[in-house]
Amino acid sequence: LDSLIPLERMACTINKKWFLVRIMPYRTLENVIDGVVLTFSDVTELKTVEAEVVASRDFAQSIIDTTRESLIILNERFEVISASRAFYEKFHVIPSETVGRVLYLLGDRQWDIPQLHELLESILPKNSFFDNFKLEQNFPGIGQKTLLLHARRILGKAGSTQYILLTIEDISPGESAGDTGTPGRSD
């Protein structure tokens, strides 16, 4: 009543039911504030689904973090959705500098390579993949690296959301394997 600003809060009952509580000033026909109106919307199902999504995301991230290989998950705009702990350690970056950013713009744009663009940009529309794309690149702070990149399309729930899983294998120093990127198609 003092501020006349509507409020929204989540509230949990002792029975573990969740409600969205809205508190709004009540105006009379004469446009006089004469109290408040409280509404309670049951959002228990929404909170349950939200908790399941968070648990699933945390589970997937823990699997990604246990791999010794560098992994990156990209969305359809080539923004990093997630990366493995091995990626952060190998390339001396942190999540706040990586997640949400376009792969090609990371660091000093070391990943902004036309052939990599071409390979990645064909994965989602053509349902393709690639293996053994050899990348030789100088990374600030860690030096010259020879890497093999592999990428696959992965589907989200109900096949609607599509992501790209990019794995990065360090074959430095002096080892050579693979070719210049073998695209493929998975039907």
Side-chain angles (χ1 to χ4, degrees):
L1 279 175
D2 291 338
S3 69
L4 302 180
I5 298 172
L7 296 173
E8 282 189 353
R9 296 285 189 268
M10 297 297 283
C12 184
T13 68
I14 57 173
N15 298 347
K16 302 293 183 201
K17 296 211 39 110
W18 283 91
F19 291 90
L20 175 62
V21 182
R22 289 189 176 111
I23 306 169
M24 297 178 286
Y26 169 73
R27 294 180 188 268
T28 65
L29 291 175
E30 292 81 30
N31 202 24
V32 175
I33 303 299
D34 194 28
V36 294
V37 175
L38 281 89
T39 60
F40 294 83
S41 302
D42 187 347
V43 292
T44 304
E45 280 187 47
L46 180 64
K47 289 295 276 183
T48 301
V49 169
E50 183 181 278
E52 289 171 359
V53 167
V54 168
S56 294
R57 185 197 64 221
D58 292 347
F59 178 71
Q61 188 63 46
S62 67
I63 291 171
I64 289 169
D65 283 341
T66 58
T67 64
R68 291 174 27 177
E69 202 167 287
S70 296
L71 301 174
I72 300 176
I73 298 175
L74 306 170
N75 66 16
E76 68 279 354
R77 293 178 305 278
F78 309 101
E79 296 166 334
V80 177
I81 299 301
S82 181
S84 66
R85 187 175 58 212
F87 175 81
Y88 294 124
E89 290 171 358
K90 170 77 61 192
F91 296 100
H92 301 177
V93 292
I94 58 175
S96 63
E97 297 171 347
T98 308
V99 174
R101 299 203 46 215
V102 174
L103 172 70
Y104 311 126
L105 303 178
L106 294 181
D108 290 335
R109 299 180 69 112
Q110 300 89 336
W111 302 99
D112 192 10
I113 300 159
Q115 191 175 5
L116 181 58
H117 277 264
E118 185 179 317
L119 288 168
L120 286 173
E121 290 168 11
S122 71
I123 289 178
L124 297 181
K126 295 180 180 176
N127 189 20
S128 63
F129 63 91
F130 67 83
D131 286 315
N132 301 320
F133 173 65
K134 191 173 182 180
L135 173 64
E136 295 181 6
Q137 191 69 278
N138 187 27
F139 291 89
I142 59 174
Q144 186 70 24
K145 291 289 178 187
T146 303
L147 309 169
L148 282 182
L149 279 60
H150 317 276
R152 297 279 184 281
R153 178 182 78 142
I154 54 177
L155 295 176
K157 193 167 193 153
S160 60
T161 307
Q162 298 183 62
Y163 301 100
I164 298 170
L165 174 62
L166 178 66
T167 62
I168 304 161
E169 182 182 348
D170 188 351
I171 59 169
S172 310
E175 294 182 36
S176 65
D179 52 32
T180 60
T182 307
R185 184 171 170 88
S186 48
D187 293 316

